[in-house]
Amino acid sequence: MTSMTSRFLVTERRAIVGLASLYASRMLGLFMVLPILALYADHLDGATPFLVGLALGGYGLTQAILQIPFGLLSDRLGRKVVIAGGLLLFIIGSVVAANATSIYVVIIGRCLQGSGAVAGAIMALLADQTREEIRTAAMATIGLSIGVAFGVAMVVGPLVADIGGLSGVFWFTAALSACGLLILWKLVPKAPRRMAHRDVGLDRRQLRATLMQGDLLRLDFSIFALHLILTACFVALPFQLEALGFAPAHHGWVYLPVMALAFVAMVPLVIVAEKYRKMKPVFVGAVAAMTLILLGFSELGSDRIALLALLWGFFVVFNLLEATLPSMISKLAPAGAKGTAMGVYSTSQFLGAFLGGTLGGALSQGLGIHSVFLGAAVVGAIWLAVVWRMPAPRHLSSEIVPLDAQSMGMLDTLLERFASVAGVEDVMVVPEERVAYLKVDRQRLDAEALARITGNQWQRTDA
């Protein structure tokens, strides 16, 4: 819900910029290792492809285990305290890995990096800092910062590794987290309140119902499979590039144009999926394309032009799915359950990263790097079977309506009044938060009727 005259307040702007920068710097530190670890780990004592894969995905295990507890802990101890603690754990993990002389210590360092699982606490702090009217735009900024961080990491990681080696990359990530502490301390204002937000945080009362919804589980499996494939592929892809004459120091310059062109190609597909309501065919087509690309990596990866074309296609599909899967979660989650659905979704993502590194390392060590792509293609085929019969998601948007004093005085009839508005498909009224969570069909929504209930002007958002 966004008032037509709403503006970002100074404190909101500071919070959005600061927390987006904090989130991006943290994700940049995690992603930078992805394109270089397999290539630069050969000097470590005990290094094997399996253990390198475990180091690559190890952060995902601790992240998956601890992200929900950290979010709940932030409700008790305070957002900034928990975020600062998570950043300190990330710094400690980076320093441990930077000083490692064996692969086992790198694995410990990566797990410590992941244990600073503050994503949920950051999103909760952003919700505390922003009004309901502008929260959708604030969350979108965080999402954009993650995408930018991934692209930058693919370029910067190889460049930093060329200068300082694997140790230099971990020292760089430690410095990024130290900057994050400074941003948290100096730029992000103190939250005026600390509340539960059902659009952001996990509600344990809704967890069982969320886990029983088949369509949401398909999307949880989708993000699990996507990050499994991503992490597994980077056990092998750097070696394929090196075998075709691309020096490790130049891998960043390979990824830069490929990522840029992939982003350009991805945007029209997102528009087709969202604006023209072709979400299911675009989604299923992307999964099928990913499976074929993985087979192509195995069969055609010895040709330079073919490999670059496949790499471009891989990033088109990856970026497309990274952009559309959260949108589909938002469409399918019941009113007021988006935060819970996203919590399960994020846990699935990190588990996928962990198992992808482990599986990729095991296949590479046992059967060679080409088997990594074949194994990933099998996962892609299973993924395609899982989503093939998935019904097309309804194009519903999540909206948050702040309740004024007059609305709060009519709680006994408010639910029925919201439900009677054309285009409102689902509603949950939460008196303790003084908001109502709606799922609406924007093409059918009677904005004037909704405004009469809320006392606010209504304007489309991009939830």
Side-chain angles (χ1 to χ4, degrees), residues 5 12 64 104 119 121 127 144 165 177 185 201 216 227 287 311 342 345 360 363 390 421 453:
T5 58
E12 289 174 332
Y104 299 101
L144 179 62
S177 287
W185 182 258
L216 287 176
H227 279 261
V287 176
L311 194 61
M342 286 302 299
Y345 173 88
L363 288 173
M390 178 180 178
V421 175
I453 296 174

Side-chain angles (χ1 to χ4, degrees), residues 33-310:
V33 179
L34 197 62
I36 60 96
L37 181 58
L39 288 173
Y40 285 83
D42 56 350
H43 71 283
L44 296 170
D45 293 339
T48 65
F50 171 71
L51 292 176
V52 169
L54 188 59
L56 202 59
Y59 81 95
L61 180 62
T62 48
Q63 188 94 350
I65 293 171
L66 294 173
Q67 67 147 348
I68 290 176
F70 264 62
L72 297 174
L73 195 62
S74 75
D75 292 336
R76 293 174 175 267
L77 301 182
R79 315 291 192 210
K80 280 195 167 186
V81 171
V82 169
I83 293 170
L87 290 173
L88 286 172
L89 283 172
F90 192 95
I91 292 172
I92 293 169
S94 299
V95 172
V96 167
N99 287 288
T101 57
S102 79
I103 189 63
Y104 299 101
V105 178
V106 172
I107 292 170
I108 292 170
R110 288 286 282 170
C111 290
L112 280 170
Q113 283 185 323
S115 69
V118 295
I122 290 174
M123 299 301 276
L125 179 57
L126 185 64
D128 290 341
Q129 296 274 15
T130 54
R131 293 162 294 154
E132 292 83 1
E133 299 94 315
I134 55 91
R135 192 171 298 153
T136 296
M139 298 298 175
T141 303
I142 295 286
L144 179 62
S145 74
I146 298 171
V148 171
F150 178 76
V152 172
M154 297 302 295
V155 177
V156 173
L159 297 179
V160 174
D162 181 49
I163 297 171
L166 183 60
S167 177
V169 171
F170 285 118
W171 282 118
F172 188 83
T173 62
L176 283 175
S177 287
C179 291
L181 280 172
L182 188 63
I183 291 170
L184 181 67
W185 182 258
K186 293 292 186 181
L187 183 58
V188 179
K190 183 179 179 181
R193 64 199 186 285
R194 189 164 72 244
M195 295 177 58
H197 305 277
R198 292 175 188 241
D199 59 322
V200 176
L202 183 139
D203 184 349
R204 283 172 286 185
R205 294 167 294 182
Q206 296 175 306
L207 184 58
R208 180 180 175 84
T210 301
L211 291 172
M212 295 298 289
Q213 189 168 334
D215 291 345
L216 287 176
L217 289 177
R218 286 187 178 97
L219 298 183
D220 295 333
F221 182 80
S222 295
I223 195 63
F224 168 85
L226 181 63
H227 279 261
L228 185 156
I229 288 169
L230 175 72
T231 312
C233 283
F234 275 96
V235 174
L237 267 174
F239 291 113
Q240 279 198 312
L241 287 174
E242 187 178 39
L244 291 176
F246 295 104
H250 300 151
H251 284 195
W253 302 118
V254 175
Y255 293 126
L256 179 61
V258 168
M259 293 282 290
L261 291 172
F263 179 80
V264 171
M266 176 268 292
V267 171
L269 295 173
V270 173
I271 293 172
V272 169
E274 294 283 0
K275 184 176 180 180
Y276 297 101
R277 302 199 166 192
K278 300 293 184 183
M279 184 65 77
K280 183 184 177 181
V282 170
F283 172 50
V284 174
V287 176
M290 176 65 82
T291 305
L292 293 174
I293 288 167
L294 293 168
L295 290 173
F297 278 139
S298 176
E299 300 300 321
L300 305 173
S302 58
D303 180 84
R304 178 180 283 211
I305 300 301
L307 180 62
L308 292 177
L310 289 166

